[in-house]
Amino acid sequence: MDRQDWDADDENNIEDETQDFTFYGRDSVIFLIDSTKPMFKKDANGTSPFRISLECCKTTMMNKIISSEKDLIGVIFFGTDKKDNKLNVPHITVLQDVLQPSAEKIKQLENLLKVSDDDFESQFGHSDDFNISDALWLCQTLFSTSQVKTGSKRILLFTNNDNPHSGSPNKQHQARIKAKDLGQTEIDLELLHIGSSFNSEIFYKEIIQFVKGDDTDDWRIPNPANRFEELMARVCRKDHKKRSMGNLHFELGDGVKLGITVYNLVRPTYFSARVILDKNTNEEVKSTIKKFDAETGDGVLTTEISKYLECAHRKITVAPDEIISLRKMQSPGLKLLGFKPASKIKDHHVSPSSFIYPEERLIQGSCKLFGALLERCVTRNVVPICCFTARSNACPAIVALVPQQEVMDDSNMQVVPPGFHLVYLPYAEDIRKLDIESSVKADPEQTQKAKEVIRKLRFRYSPYMFENPSLQTQWSNIEALALNHKHPREVIDTTVPDHENMKEKLGNLSQEFLDMVYPPGYVPGDKPKKAPRGKRSLDVTNEKTRKVVKTENIDVDMRELAEHGKVEKLKVDELKKYLTEQGYQVKSMKKTQLVAKVYQHLGVSEPN
């Protein structure tokens, strides 16, 4: 069966078959929480590290349901007196297996947060005779026995004990060996330590270094957290998906290459798509597409469908591999063309930029070479210009690699990652001139006053400061239904300006700006009042009197505007009406001529 329509769906299918990116499966996370007695010691606010850790688990699970409900999450307690796991490992309780998040799992965590410390001790107990290596081994086993293909596997370890095996060198040695096994099986271990007196140098820094490997410097441990908000922010950074667009080669020239990974740092959040459910079982309905011959009505396989182009009244059939070869212009990758000073790169917005980071697993030594290139670009203030081909069937683009240095916060936590922003540069036909009509420009005093207003209202912007109120309201209502809450959580619209704060910062500056820019008596946002219908006067004398009064009022206002140099603020119709009443012929005049004529009539010199 021949088909002529080259629809978008078929093109996307071909791209998926030929692209060089790999789907790495779902994310899998295990929350490994210390359940010894020190974790239940309350601070001045009446909260304990254990409850803070459990609250982080609950919040992360709720976020997972919204962002990626197919990911896997598990919760494990170590340091309990009782054991509850399939491998019969002592002093370890598997509270939740590594499965998809659900409302039941969230309710279980909520109920556990309501349990008192004494009830928890009677249900699970506490014990210091645990072994960190056993807990890590159990997590590794759960990852390996999972029936779902997982891409990234992470263990988030919550504890406030910086030296759990102080009197057992054998257990410390076993923990180091197991940590090295985790690194070899590509399981990441992140330490989320609590308490100001926590010293990671004693035990955990070496454990994390064994997991990360000796060839990387990513095992830097931040300062311990003391508050729930701070710990939750770290959990979000560790738990957030870091799926890449793909792994590519960066060719520097003369056969020198390094491996890089391309990321999208920012992406929009949409409303979740509707899911069709069976009305009897309430299970998701899976839809399938079947194609039939329009003439015979017989079913057609995908392999039996071909595309064609009509040329000279002939149908030329094109095979799928021929379509791929037609689109393939260059092998995927990044090729260095040269360097330009950073001042020469203009802020063009052709396409959303990406971010590149070295990939050591692709080519050994990529991290060191990438770091050296980044350091020299920052030192010399230059930007590499490259040719970038994202996929084998994608068109090449000219890009600029804007360097970015690493930024750490006060807690020794990474805020800005080191790397290059891949900014797409426009071709010649992408740049066009815009015909903008000339308009009246503000005078220097007005410009200076506007700068003062902006300076007073300036703040440090971050996209995390603002949330979509519609999305938050929707998910708040869904959470209340799923978790049987009486009322949905309150949603604060962060997009609404804080008028009280703005008024306090500006003071009289806002009124000064309005008086300087707008004519007297003007109220921004108000509409001009119209005379009510049917009130037209039939008395000629009254009509003439009304017209004279109106003309005199306009004359007074116009003279005041002229003395302040604000005649240009009036509209063309207002200028024509005023000059017509003064006896001038203004039918073919432009606005600049009308303004000059008003100044001439009033005997006021026109401002430069």
Side-chain angles (χ1 to χ4, degrees), residues 522-535:
Y522 176 78
V523 179
D526 281 7
K527 295 182 179 180
K529 297 181 180 179
K530 296 182 180 180
R533 294 182 180 181
K535 297 296 183 179

Side-chain angles (χ1 to χ4, degrees), residues 235-499:
V235 173
C236 290
R237 292 176 185 175
K238 301 297 182 183
D239 176 66
H240 184 69
K241 274 185 187 174
K242 299 179 179 64
R243 290 178 184 165
S244 64
M245 295 173 56
N247 299 329
L248 301 172
H249 288 95
F250 187 2
E251 183 179 351
L252 300 180
D254 295 334
V256 180
K257 295 182 180 181
L258 67 148
I260 60 170
T261 305
V262 185
Y263 296 93
N264 280 339
L265 296 183
V266 179
R267 62 178 181 179
T269 303
Y270 302 101
F271 286 93
S272 300
R274 291 182 299 176
V275 179
I276 302 175
L277 301 178
D278 188 280
K279 65 178 182 179
N280 297 323
T281 62
N282 205 30
E283 294 181 354
E284 183 177 351
V285 177
K286 295 183 179 180
S287 60
T288 58
I289 299 176
K290 293 183 179 180
K291 298 181 180 180
F292 299 90
D293 193 318
E295 298 178 356
T296 63
D298 298 333
V300 179
L301 300 177
T302 305
T303 55
E304 298 175 343
I305 301 176
S306 60
K307 296 183 178 181
Y308 69 88
L309 288 174
E310 190 171 350
C311 182
H313 304 288
R314 292 178 57 192
K315 294 180 179 180
I316 303 174
T317 305
V318 184
D321 56 343
E322 292 176 334
I323 297 175
I324 295 172
S325 61
L326 287 173
R327 293 176 176 175
K328 187 174 182 180
M329 299 180 62
Q330 188 172 316
S331 58
L334 196 63
K335 186 176 181 180
L336 180 64
L337 302 178
F339 295 89
K340 282 284 187 180
S343 58
K344 297 292 183 181
I345 305 300
K346 297 181 180 180
D347 189 13
H348 294 291
H349 298 279
V350 179
S351 179
S353 61
S354 301
F355 189 79
I356 63 173
Y357 197 76
E359 180 55 61
E360 189 73 17
R361 291 176 294 182
L362 196 62
I363 297 178
Q364 292 293 329
S366 297
C367 290
K368 293 183 179 180
L369 183 57
F370 187 91
L373 177 64
L374 178 63
E375 181 185 356
R376 298 313 299 164
C377 289
V378 173
T379 303
R380 299 189 178 185
N381 197 23
V382 295
V383 174
I385 307 297
C386 305
C387 180
F388 175 62
T389 306
R391 297 179 298 273
S392 57
N393 58 344
C395 296
I398 305 300
V399 298
L401 304 184
V402 180
Q404 174 177 278
Q405 290 181 297
E406 185 181 27
V407 177
M408 310 293 290
D409 59 9
D410 297 336
S411 301
N412 201 24
M413 194 76 180
Q414 186 186 82
V415 179
V416 177
F420 288 95
H421 288 279
L422 193 147
V423 180
Y424 291 86
L425 299 180
Y427 289 103
E429 57 268 20
D430 294 331
I431 301 177
R432 58 187 183 277
K433 295 182 179 180
L434 300 177
D435 296 331
I436 302 176
E437 296 182 1
S438 60
S439 58
V440 180
K441 295 184 178 180
D443 55 44
E445 295 181 358
Q446 294 173 343
T447 304
Q448 182 62 30
K449 188 64 67 173
K451 288 181 179 179
E452 294 178 9
V453 172
I454 294 173
R455 197 177 296 113
K456 287 286 186 179
L457 299 179
R458 184 176 296 175
F459 63 95
R460 189 178 296 276
Y461 169 77
S462 172
Y464 300 105
M465 299 169 61
F466 303 97
E467 295 177 336
N468 188 334
S470 300
L471 278 174
Q472 294 298 321
T473 302
Q474 183 193 46
W475 284 111
S476 174
N477 294 330
I478 293 175
E479 288 173 10
L481 289 173
L483 302 177
N484 297 326
H485 291 169
K486 293 183 179 180
H487 304 285
R489 59 179 172 86
E490 182 182 1
V491 176
I492 300 176
D493 190 354
T494 54
T495 62
V496 177
D498 189 353
H499 296 286

Side-chain angles (χ1 to χ4, degrees), residues 533-548:
R533 294 182 180 181
K535 297 296 183 179
R536 181 178 176 84
S537 174
L538 298 177
D539 189 354
V540 178
T541 306
N542 293 341
E543 183 69 20
K544 290 181 178 180
T545 305
R546 185 184 62 81
K547 185 174 181 180
V548 171

